[in-house]
Amino acid sequence: DVKVTQSSRYLVKRTGEKVFLECVQDMDHENMFWYRQDPGLGLRLIYFSYDVKMKEKGDIPEGYSVSREKKERFSLILESASTNQTSMYLCASSLGDRDYEQYFGPGTRLTVT
Amino acid sequence: EDKVVQSPLSLVVHEGDTVTLNCSYEVTNFRSLLWYKQEKKAPTFLFMLTSSGIEKKSGRLSSILDKKELSSILNITATQTGDSAIYLCAVERYTGTASKLTFGTGTRLQVTL
């Protein structure tokens, strides 16, 4: 079974703090993704990575950065957290270009106060 | 801008009813359409559709894609309380480097006894 894990289920941070969300997959997948999910807006893609050290902006990259130093790990960084970044963050991975099925992690509910 | 619209936004039915969920899209470089089910945590994959007019079926769930109408439906027959979830539609397109999904906002289905 593919397993995608995220470092925290719940996180509370203060405005202005630097926040790291970690995601690890154990199936040697090429692609990894970070989404945020908000009521009424659905899942929106923040960034994705198709190879180690390669990244591409998604639909809402502003205020975020990512890091992929190893194939199995994809980090989402909030350089200076703001209250409008309070959300559920979901990480996903997929095998490669011809495998479209994305496997999701359990999510991290981030609250910025 | 890529767009995926799902309807209805929410639905309450009685156990045993049949439901039809709709998804329409406007996407450049369309590759496939995917359906996911999201209960309490992460979305889980249901179907991937690439060819128009070919029904995919899994137990009581089935889905079909209409590329001419840029839409898809997800049918659930003989609904059960365990079908209560958010159903997400996503459309996949190729960016030139990787496949990217754009999600709809989802349809919240509640099945009552």
Side-chain angles (χ1 to χ4, degrees), chain B residues 21-39:
Chain B
L21 310 183
N22 301 286
C23 177
S24 63
Y25 61 90
E26 287 175 36
V27 169
T28 52
N29 301 323
F30 173 88
R31 261 189 160 181
S32 69
L33 186 144
L34 297 91
W35 285 97
Y36 285 83
K37 177 182 181 183
Q38 186 175 21
E39 295 172 89

Side-chain angles (χ1 to χ4, degrees), chain A residues 15-64:
Chain A
T15 302
E17 276 192 85
K18 191 167 185 174
V19 181
F20 291 87
L21 302 182
E22 302 282 332
C23 175
V24 178
Q25 50 92 6
D26 66 357
M27 283 301 289
D28 204 33
H29 281 180
E30 300 288 336
N31 302 325
M32 294 187 76
F33 307 83
W34 274 107
Y35 295 91
R36 63 178 282 179
Q37 187 172 28
D38 302 287
L41 296 174
L43 273 153
R44 292 179 292 166
L45 181 64
I46 304 170
Y47 265 98
F48 65 103
S49 167
Y50 48 91
D51 202 349
V52 176
K53 295 191 191 289
M54 306 302 282
K55 62 188 178 188
E56 194 164 320
K57 289 180 181 178
D59 300 315
I60 50 162
E62 296 79 19
Y64 303 94

Side-chain angles (χ1 to χ4, degrees), chain B residues 48-67:
Chain B
M48 184 184 80
L49 304 147
T50 53
S51 301
S52 202
I54 298 185
E55 187 182 49
K56 290 257 177 123
K57 207 167 161 62
S58 175
R60 297 176 293 103
L61 276 68
S62 64
S63 183
I64 195 160
L65 174 66
D66 186 338
K67 277 186 174 177

Side-chain angles (χ1 to χ4, degrees), chain B residues 42-87:
Chain B
T44 52
F45 174 78
L46 293 174
F47 297 113
M48 184 184 80
L49 304 147
T50 53
S51 301
S52 202
I54 298 185
E55 187 182 49
K56 290 257 177 123
K57 207 167 161 62
S58 175
R60 297 176 293 103
L61 276 68
S62 64
S63 183
I64 195 160
L65 174 66
D66 186 338
K67 277 186 174 177
K68 198 173 169 189
E69 296 296 324
L70 305 182
S71 65
S72 174
I73 59 170
L74 175 69
N75 277 322
I76 310 174
T77 58
T79 51
Q80 301 170 358
T81 55
D83 295 327
S84 296
I86 297 172
Y87 290 84

Side-chain angles (χ1 to χ4, degrees), chain A residues 9 31 33 35 37 40-45 48-50 56-59 88 90 96-98 100-107, chain B residues 2 31-32 34 36 38 40-45 48 50 86 88 92-106:
Chain A
R9 290 300 314 278
N31 302 325
F33 307 83
Y35 295 91
Q37 187 172 28
L41 296 174
L43 273 153
R44 292 179 292 166
L45 181 64
F48 65 103
S49 167
Y50 48 91
E56 194 164 320
K57 289 180 181 178
D59 300 315
M88 170 68 87
L90 288 159
D97 179 44
R98 298 308 300 184
Y100 316 126
E101 182 181 346
Q102 294 187 11
Y103 298 85
F104 284 83
Chain B
D2 297 340
R31 261 189 160 181
S32 69
L34 297 91
Y36 285 83
Q38 186 175 21
K40 291 194 173 106
K41 298 180 190 175
T44 52
F45 174 78
M48 184 184 80
T50 53
I86 297 172
L88 296 167
E92 188 254 350
R93 68 176 182 90
Y94 188 60
T95 68
T97 46
S99 292
K100 180 183 144 177
L101 295 182
T102 299
F103 282 83
T105 53

